[in-house]
Amino acid sequence: MRNDILTVTLNPALDLSAHLPCMTAGPKLRLHDPVIEPGGGGVNVARVIHELGGNVSAWVALGGTSGAQHLDLLRAKEVVVHVFEAPGETRQNWAITDAMGQQYRLQLPGPDWTPDSFRNRANDALDSITALANGPVVLSGSQPPGLDPAFPQTLAARLGPGRLVVDTSGDAMTLLITRPEILLCLLRLDQAEAEAQAGHPLADPKDAADFAKALRSKGVAELIAIARGADGNILAAPQGVFHARPPQVPVLSKIGAGDSFTGAFTLALAQGQSPSEALRLGTAAAAATVMSAGTGLCRAADVTRLLRDCSLAQLDA
């Protein structure tokens, strides 16, 4: 892999976080300590790669006044941005934390890529992404309403086998798993997504490992990663199946942990590290992110410190 990473965000969001004493229905609730960040899966991945010293640019579909604000915030973080005009106003997401540490996450669906406009806009998006891609491409985050679930498969076909990293959800995720057409570089699933796709609970690391191996055998991706929260991450790779565990850390917010994993993992691969070492770095980045409040992401110093204490075990040795 070349160390020239392009991230793709089809459904970005202005991420707004704030605090209040208690979430109660009825009265006006006055928030304090508000923070606004440029968000969305691929945007977060790009921010993490940039924070860790990688070469990255972010392709982002933005629209309207909130899209303009999103762009200003992302540029302020010194991330190289390629803007694609979205067919509507960029959405906003809210993360509200109460005095007990409970977090409430409210997400809007995003602009509608309606069936009438889908074909031209989607084809334009595919042309734009493939023209910019000269290394690994990371497609991360939800798809906007109205976009064909086959978009990731079509993009993977345009790029060629082993080029696309995917961390998505919903019908797009299901299609990649049930009808694999071209080998991805990496497919990442969180615990809930993996259990939904498996059709049964994945109660322990072995269950997750078996499912990850099954997806590899099916030709879904060269690498399959399954997140297990505080228990770390499972990776099925050509070299074997691995389990990386982070040290215990204080959890302030889980927002962006998966994106941080994907960003650090992809960067490690692009730098020539082995999949198992990429797994450790991704696990450290995810752990560092949950230490940040609201929609904050990992800090490079925390990732470096936590990496030393991330354990790695081969499950099929």
Side-chain angles (χ1 to χ4, degrees), residues 89-296:
E89 189 80 18
T90 296
R91 65 183 175 141
Q92 298 182 3
N93 292 337
W94 280 93
I96 309 300
T97 305
D98 66 18
M100 300 298 292
Q102 297 294 313
Q103 192 173 72
Y104 303 85
R105 299 173 64 178
L106 311 174
Q107 298 192 335
L108 294 174
D112 186 11
W113 294 50
T114 59
D116 288 344
S117 65
F118 157 71
R119 188 176 302 278
N120 289 336
R121 294 307 289 157
N123 286 338
D124 290 345
L126 289 164
D127 290 342
S128 174
I129 294 164
T130 52
L132 291 167
N134 59 11
V137 178
V138 182
L139 175 62
S140 183
S142 64
Q143 293 204 163
L147 187 62
D148 191 334
F151 187 94
Q153 288 182 326
T154 305
L155 178 58
R158 290 272 196 109
L159 296 172
R163 288 276 308 280
L164 184 62
V165 171
V166 178
D167 182 358
T168 189
S169 58
D171 291 342
M173 169 75 79
T174 299
L175 195 60
L176 288 168
I177 289 174
T178 58
R179 287 169 46 196
E181 294 181 356
I182 188 164
L183 189 72
L184 304 175
C185 171
L186 167 72
L187 180 68
R188 178 196 173 272
L189 306 90
D190 65 26
Q191 178 81 7
E193 290 164 345
E195 291 184 339
Q197 295 295 334
H200 56 79
L202 303 175
D204 56 39
K206 183 181 183 304
D207 292 339
D210 289 343
F211 182 58
K213 285 194 295 184
L215 293 184
R216 274 204 81 245
S217 298
K218 212 174 158 182
V220 173
E222 182 177 4
L223 304 167
I224 302 290
I226 297 178
R228 295 187 55 79
D231 192 34
N233 297 277
I234 300 293
L235 178 71
Q239 299 84 351
V241 182
F242 301 90
H243 184 191
R245 285 189 173 99
Q248 286 190 339
V249 297
V251 178
L252 297 183
S253 172
K254 297 178 181 179
I255 295 173
D259 299 328
S260 297
F261 173 92
T262 301
F265 187 100
T266 304
L267 175 60
L269 286 185
Q271 292 175 334
Q273 297 186 46
S274 67
S276 60
E277 285 306 306
L279 178 66
R280 288 184 67 239
L281 185 65
T283 299
T289 294
V290 303
M291 296 168 56
S292 299
T295 57

Side-chain angles (χ1 to χ4, degrees), residues 9 11-15 36-40 43-44 47 58 60-76 81 90-91:
T9 314
N11 201 20
L14 277 175
D15 282 340
I36 304 177
E37 298 273 14
V43 168
N44 291 340
R47 288 173 54 192
V60 192
L62 295 170
T65 55
S66 59
Q69 185 179 7
H70 188 291
L71 178 60
D72 288 342
L73 290 167
L74 188 53
R75 283 178 171 164
V81 188
T90 296
R91 65 183 175 141

